[in-house]
Amino acid sequence: MAPHPAVQAVIDLSAGAIGGAACVFSGQPLDTAKVKMQTFPNLYRGFIHCVTSTYKQVGLRGLYQGTSPALMANIAENSVLFMSYGFCQQVIRLSAGLPNETVLSDVQKACAGSIASIFSSLVLCPTELVKCRLQAMYEMELSGKIAKSHNTVWSVVRSIMRAEGPRGFFQGLTPTIAREVPGYFCFFGAYELCRTTFADYMKCEKDDIGVMPIMFSGGLGGACLWLVVYPMDCVKSRIQVMSMMGKQAGFFKTFMTIARTEGVRALYSGLTPTMVRTFPANGALFLGYEVSRKLMMKQFDS
């Protein structure tokens, strides 16, 4: 028996939260390296140099800087994303005149994920802003761009509230949405297509393909997402970190300034740790989501 729509929403929200937490714990150090390299492309020779320099300067704690807001960001984003994903699938069924239990095609699911990402952007932007500022705090202080300060979550939150007010938490919202909408079409599209391929090869249902195929499908979805949207993510990180010094230019102006003064290559700075991170992190995300959702849905099987 299918659960009530409200119960289904709670299941999707809870499963998304579990997946989001798994994603953070498996990929945070590499995410820190990504943000540092995006914000200061000329400071580090490459991914290994960034990780080893951070470790020497700040210790292991430096690689996990911003874990609390990252955890909040991922749990909030993925809770809303997967809850909206389920809701958007229902909207697509209604608009196409399909019965409630109809299984959508991979492309239809990709469209549902793309629309759902607009809602998740609204909760992701404020928490990701705090995370990015914390991750790049050491370099901002070292370069003299900001005065030395307490680099804790609450000190960053207070400084944003004091200097910019509530609107300040939405610095970088435009590039966040510009990144999420096409990115999540590729993310869910590649994930579902890969699961379908595994299911056809193994001659079983998509939900029964096993742990490693789910993790590989999630990793492939993440890789497709980042390859498509990485320059937009780079601009978002730059806006969110550099806005610590005062009002920052908008998305298009920042994009053109980076491309003109630092070259197109700067827009891809930090891509290596992102691609290394994407398979374990997004594999863990989908494994956490699928397994917990399946367990919760079993309670409603008659």
Side-chain angles (χ1 to χ4, degrees):
M1 177 175 90
H4 186 274
V7 176
Q8 182 67 66
V10 171
I11 288 172
D12 288 337
L13 187 140
S14 304
I18 291 166
C23 179
V24 173
F25 288 124
S26 58
Q28 183 62 16
L30 294 164
D31 184 67
T32 298
K34 172 191 79 105
V35 171
K36 286 176 182 289
M37 290 176 72
Q38 285 177 327
T39 313
F40 302 96
N42 300 317
L43 196 59
Y44 299 107
R45 291 192 299 274
F47 157 52
I48 303 295
H49 180 229
C50 179
V51 171
T52 53
S53 295
T54 303
Y55 182 75
K56 282 176 189 170
Q57 291 156 355
V58 198
L60 190 63
R61 185 174 56 89
L63 291 168
Y64 279 91
Q65 196 71 269
T67 299
S68 297
L71 205 53
M72 287 188 282
N74 270 271
I75 288 174
E77 179 196 17
N78 287 295
S79 297
V80 175
L81 177 69
F82 283 103
M83 184 178 72
S84 303
Y85 181 50
F87 174 72
C88 290
Q89 286 186 61
Q90 282 298 101
V91 171
I92 286 172
R93 286 187 189 100
L94 283 170
S95 59
L98 299 170
N100 276 352
E101 300 304 314
T102 304
V103 177
L104 299 180
S105 70
D106 294 338
V107 173
Q108 287 172 322
K109 286 184 177 180
C111 292
S114 182
I115 299 163
S117 71
I118 298 170
F119 301 103
S120 64
S121 296
L122 298 173
V123 294
L124 174 67
C125 188
T127 46
E128 202 165 65
L129 172 74
V130 176
K131 174 188 75 75
C132 287
R133 288 191 177 184
L134 272 172
Q135 287 173 321
M137 189 77 76
Y138 179 83
E139 286 80 3
M140 289 293 281
E141 290 171 356
L142 197 68
S143 60
K145 288 185 167 72
I146 60 166
K148 193 163 177 61
S149 59
H150 297 293
N151 52 351
T152 65
V153 173
W154 298 116
S155 66
V156 172
V157 169
R158 278 198 304 271
S159 71
I160 295 168
M161 278 300 292
R162 200 162 46 238
E164 304 158 61
R167 280 185 66 187
F169 288 100
F170 291 91
Q171 284 272 9
L173 181 61
T174 302
T176 299
I177 293 173
R179 177 192 74 176
E180 303 286 273
V181 171
Y184 276 97
F185 179 87
C186 299
F187 187 59
F188 282 104
Y191 172 68
E192 294 294 349
L193 186 61
C194 193
R195 280 209 309 156
T196 299
T197 305
F198 273 117
D200 290 346
Y201 178 76
M202 297 163 75
K203 294 181 171 51
C204 65
E205 293 295 317
K206 283 169 79 171
D207 291 341
D208 301 322
I209 58 176
V211 171
M212 292 311 292
I214 286 175
M215 291 192 74
F216 181 83
S217 301
L220 184 68
C224 291
L225 180 150
W226 287 114
L227 285 171
V228 169
V229 305
Y230 198 81
M232 286 174 274
D233 184 68
C234 183
V235 174
K236 177 202 72 69
S237 294
R238 193 74 68 94
I239 288 171
Q240 290 183 323
V241 173
M242 293 304 180
S243 59
M244 279 195 274
M245 298 186 297
K247 190 162 174 63
Q248 181 67 16
F251 172 61
F252 290 108
K253 194 169 181 183
T254 303
F255 181 92
M256 293 309 295
T257 301
I258 295 169
R260 194 167 53 246
T261 60
E262 301 171 45
V264 174
R265 195 175 169 187
L267 292 166
Y268 288 91
S269 185
L271 183 61
T272 303
T274 302
M275 296 309 289
V276 171
R277 169 185 173 268
T278 194
F279 273 86
N282 288 296
L285 165 66
F286 274 108
L287 183 65
Y289 168 74
E290 294 288 358
V291 171
S292 57
R293 186 177 186 274
K294 199 172 180 180
L295 286 170
M296 286 184 273
M297 289 294 284
K298 264 187 182 173
Q299 307 305 311
F300 296 92
D301 286 345
S302 51

